[in-house]
Amino acid sequence: MEFEYKVVWIIGASSGIGAGLAKAFAAQNARLILSSRDYAALIALEQQLKGHTACTVLTADMTDHAGLAQVVEQAISVYGHIDIVIHSAGIGQRSLAIDTQLSVYNRLMEVNFLGPLALTQYLLPHFKRQGHGHVVAISSMSGLMGFPMRSGYVASKHALKGYFETLQVEHTLDNFYVTIVSPGRIKTALSLSALTGDGIAYGKMDKGQLHGIPVDECTDKILKAISRKKKHVIIARSERLLYWLRILIPPAYYRIARKRGLDGN
Ligand SMILES: NC(=O)c1ccc[n+]([C@@H]2O[C@H](COP(=O)([O-])OP(=O)(O)OC[C@H]3O[C@@H](n4cnc5c(N)ncnc54)[C@H](OP(=O)(O)O)[C@@H]3O)[C@@H](O)[C@H]2O)c1
């Protein structure tokens, strides 16, 4: 088993893609650290996985950027080192730009971009000392193109991709890998907690989310990409076509993205 005994730290492990990744790595006998804000949900997952593999809960809030320095020290001390860190924490958005308060943009940037950036910055010296490390950033197709009702989310994912792509290009550390994952819609609760214009949770599963790619199909592809040390992987259905339209036939992209986004697809 490729990931046996590897120490894998998953941020955003309490639900969705992060929880799915925890199960997939547990099946490979990796040693896990599960993080997010929801202690009870993390403990429930830990109980589920403990029979299979070593597993520890460490709460972390991606908006507490200064506090993440201490969280990184705690994470390293659990098993003595970290092999792979996965940034799966994130919040969505469902509001037109014109209706969105600045505080919502701040929150999206804090959770989706500045949190993963801060945590990675604190972790890089550890990867340098031990001579290896792998960061996996769960970005989005929204990190590759604009989409209605998600102006702040799209901006945060573009920023996330920009930061991690730059780490790939700088390549200052030996045996250091960054895998950027750009999923299309995956069937998780992301739209339930997505922020509306005044910062209140959207509270609904929208059509696109409901008919999205199953989590286990997505996590299988992420594990393969990590194993192959891929720099970038797209996990999507029709969003992949939209992405190519944007490059090859831009007017079609603008028309279809506008219609689909405003129809809530
Ligand atoms: N589902 C999709 O269609 C889709 C598509 C493209 C990209 N993505 C990306 O995939 C990642 C995972 O999303 P998901 O679909 O699995 O949604 P999800 O089920 O809602 O999971 C989001 C995770 O983020 C954590 N989180 C939110 N705010 C946090 C904070 N301040 N500090 C720490 N953790 C926080 C949540 O945990 P707590 O509430 O316990 O803190 C939860 O574990 C996100 O980055 C999302 O943008 C999802």
Side-chain angles (χ1 to χ4, degrees), residues 40-120:
L42 294 172
I43 288 289
L45 181 59
E46 184 201 32
Q47 293 307 319
Q48 223 181 307
L49 302 181
K50 257 207 155 141
H52 303 277
T53 194
C55 193
T56 299
V57 164
L58 178 62
T59 51
D61 185 341
M62 297 306 272
T63 63
D64 177 13
H65 302 151
L68 289 176
Q70 200 190 347
V71 176
V72 166
E73 290 313 314
Q74 288 171 324
I76 293 169
S77 69
V78 175
Y79 304 106
H81 75 284
I82 309 280
D83 293 305
I84 301 171
V85 62
I86 303 180
H87 292 296
S88 192
I91 41 172
Q93 178 193 5
R94 293 294 182 276
S95 56
L96 291 172
I98 195 167
D99 300 326
T100 303
Q101 294 174 5
L102 278 180
S103 58
V104 171
Y105 287 102
N106 275 329
R107 190 158 170 74
L108 288 163
M109 291 305 278
E110 280 182 355
V111 177
N112 295 352
F113 170 53
L114 290 168
L117 178 149
L119 195 147
T120 305

Side-chain angles (χ1 to χ4, degrees), residues 11-19 35-39 41-42 60-63 87-92 107 111-112 138-142 153 157 160 181-191 193 209 215:
I11 331 289
S14 64
S15 78
I17 298 172
S35 291
S36 79
R37 296 162 305 170
D38 187 342
Y39 180 72
L42 294 172
D61 185 341
M62 297 306 272
T63 63
H87 292 296
S88 192
I91 41 172
R107 190 158 170 74
V111 177
N112 295 352
I138 311 295
S139 179
S140 170
M141 291 306 285
S142 294
Y153 182 74
K157 292 296 188 179
L160 185 77
V181 182
S182 297
R185 288 195 183 79
I186 311 298
K187 193 173 176 184
T188 71
L190 187 67
S191 72
S193 59
Q209 213 79 70
V215 168

Side-chain angles (χ1 to χ4, degrees), residues 185-187 205-213 237:
R185 288 195 183 79
I186 311 298
K187 193 173 176 184
M205 279 293 271
D206 54 23
K207 273 186 274 174
Q209 213 79 70
L210 200 59
H211 300 114
I213 295 173
R237 291 174 181 156

